[in-house]
Amino acid sequence: MNILMIAVNDPAGTGIGFCRAVNRLGRHHCRIVTLETRYTHSWPKDLHVPDLDVAGLDELERLLKASDVLHFHMTADENLRLGPFLPADYLAGKAIVHHEHGHHDFRSDPQRFRTKYRALGRRNLLVSTPDLKRMMPEARWQPNLVHQDEPLLRPAARAWSGPLLVAHSPTRKDLKNTDELLAVALKLREAGLDLALDLIDNVPHQECLTRKRAAHVLFDHMQGYYGVSSLEGLSQGLAVIAGLDDWNRAHVAEFAGVPDAPESLPWLLARSPEELAARLRELAGDMAFCRARGEASRRFIEECWSEEKVAGRLCDFWDGL
């Protein structure tokens, strides 16, 4: 089938990531059209409306007509104007998918979206993390992926000696427990722990990955779920700290095909500043342990969360439309 993804902006580069993975898999053909650029992360683009010339607009029109599936990301829907085109004019004979990524509009009022989709008869619903299924139980969880064989997502050679270098790359600090991390790191350093922090903020994604890859540890957040940052850190062979709750852990374990137990998953769990401090002391005090956790992270991505497996799950979903 021919799939056209449509997004206002590409959430964490996941849209273009899925397009590339699906096309490499060869089961379907996927393109993505975007309307805006936010932040300075410089995600790769496919059909970015502000950049399209006449030939590009002609190609977009052809895709709107010929695609079998219109796959809307985040807040986008058929009323999102794409230059001279309105997807609503091209719905006939197509399957429609809505894919939620945790935008604050959705998190603040998921019932509004559920009511809208029911009124439109939309049943092909995806969410990007298991916690969002609590807000939209009728949706299917579609995990995000990382291209684990790309150079910047492979483990780097690094010195396994102090200081313990912790990377943190929040898109929005208020949602990623950044203040708590800074406070914990300051207290630990004042107590004599050999620890350094790389706060990676508002830089192109390639630079972000380069700096993460040089670290020993990645701190994602303590919000109960995991982010794309977690997956990047796992792929890079870092010890990854996040506050997965029982709900998210159970869903992750099921998809990964491992027992539902903390020790079966690579994340080091921290749900409070006190637990975060304990994890950092543990890692800084035993760099061999830190290295082993990083190696387990990489194995988990290769064996349980590969690009082929995650992209295949999305293709399976489209096959069932």
Side-chain angles (χ1 to χ4, degrees):
M1 290 192 294
N2 292 310
I3 318 296
L4 180 61
M5 293 184 168
I6 298 173
V8 177
N9 66 295
D10 191 357
T14 53
I16 190 67
F18 272 121
C19 280
R20 291 179 169 184
V22 166
N23 291 336
R24 277 195 282 259
L25 201 58
R27 287 174 55 183
H28 298 293
H29 184 257
C30 189
R31 302 291 300 275
I32 182 169
V33 54
T34 49
L35 191 62
E36 297 178 5
T37 299
R38 297 179 186 172
Y39 312 110
T40 58
H41 298 158
S42 301
W43 308 111
K45 301 171 185 174
D46 183 7
L47 294 163
H48 189 57
V49 172
D51 298 339
L52 297 182
D53 56 14
V54 172
L57 291 173
D58 287 345
E59 183 178 19
L60 174 55
E61 183 178 26
R62 178 184 62 78
L63 291 169
L64 284 165
K65 291 178 178 178
S67 293
D68 303 295
V69 178
L70 296 184
H71 185 122
F72 293 103
H73 284 283
M74 217 152 46
T75 58
D77 62 20
E78 64 267 31
N79 297 309
L80 178 69
R81 181 158 289 281
L82 303 171
F85 308 117
L86 195 66
D89 296 331
Y90 301 89
L91 299 185
K94 292 177 171 52
I96 308 300
V97 175
H98 293 278
H99 193 159
E100 298 298 338
H101 294 262
H103 189 279
H104 61 84
D105 286 351
F106 176 79
R107 287 188 180 276
S108 64
D109 191 5
Q111 193 59 40
R112 176 166 63 93
F113 289 82
R114 296 180 71 196
T115 300
K116 170 185 169 180
Y117 296 150
R118 278 198 301 268
L120 292 169
R122 305 282 168 79
R123 297 182 178 85
N124 303 319
L125 308 175
L126 297 174
V127 291
S128 63
T129 51
D131 62 297
L132 298 177
K133 276 187 63 66
R134 287 172 167 153
M135 304 176 191
M136 188 180 284
E138 61 271 31
R140 173 187 170 97
W141 170 43
Q142 170 57 52
N144 285 323
L145 57 77
V146 287
H147 304 300
Q148 75 270 3
D149 293 326
E150 290 188 1
L152 288 178
L153 287 164
R154 296 186 64 83
R158 58 177 67 87
W160 290 99
S161 58
L164 182 76
L165 179 56
V166 181
H168 178 55
S169 57
T171 302
R172 290 184 56 186
K173 298 184 183 69
D174 57 323
L175 298 178
K176 303 295 183 180
N177 299 106
T178 302
D179 288 345
E180 290 93 334
L181 172 63
L182 292 173
V184 165
L186 177 61
K187 287 183 180 180
L188 291 175
R189 285 196 295 261
E190 288 176 344
L193 195 72
D194 195 10
L195 183 148
L197 179 62
D198 186 7
L199 182 61
I200 307 168
D201 183 33
N202 206 30
V203 301
H205 188 230
Q206 295 293 300
E207 179 183 339
C208 177
L209 290 178
T210 299
R211 288 166 61 178
K212 278 184 188 176
R213 194 166 175 255
H216 303 104
V217 179
L218 174 77
F219 173 69
D220 194 351
H221 56 69
M222 297 184 290
Q223 297 295 313
Y225 55 100
Y226 67 91
V228 173
S229 185
S230 265
L231 301 179
E232 292 171 346
L234 295 174
S235 183
Q236 291 174 323
L238 308 182
V240 177
I241 300 174
L244 274 71
D245 61 21
D246 293 345
W247 169 277
N248 281 272
R249 193 189 67 226
H251 282 79
V252 167
E254 181 181 10
F255 172 71
V258 300
D260 178 11
E263 61 271 16
S264 299
L265 298 175
W267 284 269
L268 289 160
L269 300 182
R271 299 190 180 100
S272 68
E274 293 75 22
E275 290 184 354
L276 174 58
R279 299 290 84 74
L280 292 174
R281 282 194 296 267
E282 182 179 32
L283 292 164
D286 188 346
M287 293 298 280
F289 170 70
C290 181
R291 182 174 186 171
R293 292 303 302 229
E295 291 171 348
S297 295
R298 178 66 189 187
R299 284 197 302 273
F300 178 80
I301 290 293
E302 291 176 339
E303 298 172 4
C304 304
W305 209 286
S306 67
E307 171 187 306
E308 181 178 1
K309 178 178 180 178
V310 181
R313 182 180 174 96
L314 182 56
C315 290
D316 291 343
F317 175 80
W318 288 330
D319 286 341
L321 297 180

